[in-house]
Amino acid sequence: MQNNNYISSDGMRLDITTIHTERLIHSLAKHHREIYNSNDVNEFVFHSDQISLIDGELLRRNKEFYDKKIGGGQWQQ
């Protein structure tokens, strides 16, 4: 089973598939900023893992949108 545990800034574990896209984009930017302020390897790994998780979810959503609009025939190329 895939790890969908997004960790919010207040420490709550959330299913990443339930989070609004705008929030994910803001979180991605925050983790990209914070990774360079890491004080140790654990902080670096945490931010790196969150970046990978968010990237994967955004790509999944983009593919789903593309498949629905283009692949599903709603939009013509």
Side-chain angles (χ1 to χ4, degrees):
M1 184 170 164
Q2 183 179 352
N3 175 11
N4 289 330
N5 286 326
Y6 167 80
I7 309 216
S8 65
S9 57
D10 63 0
M12 288 183 56
R13 289 186 180 273
L14 304 169
D15 180 352
I16 196 165
T17 63
T18 64
I19 299 171
H20 292 282
T21 301
E22 183 178 359
R23 181 176 176 186
L24 286 179
I25 292 168
H26 288 289
S27 295
L28 183 61
K30 180 180 178 183
H31 285 291
H32 274 288
R33 283 190 311 270
E34 293 299 320
I35 200 167
Y36 297 106
N37 294 323
S38 299
N39 295 312
D40 57 41
V41 70
N42 292 330
E43 285 183 28
F44 178 85
V45 168
F46 170 74
H47 292 299
S48 181
D49 288 348
Q50 291 293 286
I51 288 168
S52 294
L53 181 66
I54 295 168
D55 276 342
E57 177 61 15
L58 291 173
L59 288 171
R60 184 195 69 76
R61 291 179 188 195
N62 286 345
K63 182 180 180 337
E64 183 179 274
F65 181 81
Y66 176 88
D67 289 347
K68 179 180 175 185
K69 297 296 184 177
I70 304 289
Q74 288 185 358
W75 291 349
Q76 299 297 320
Q77 282 183 302

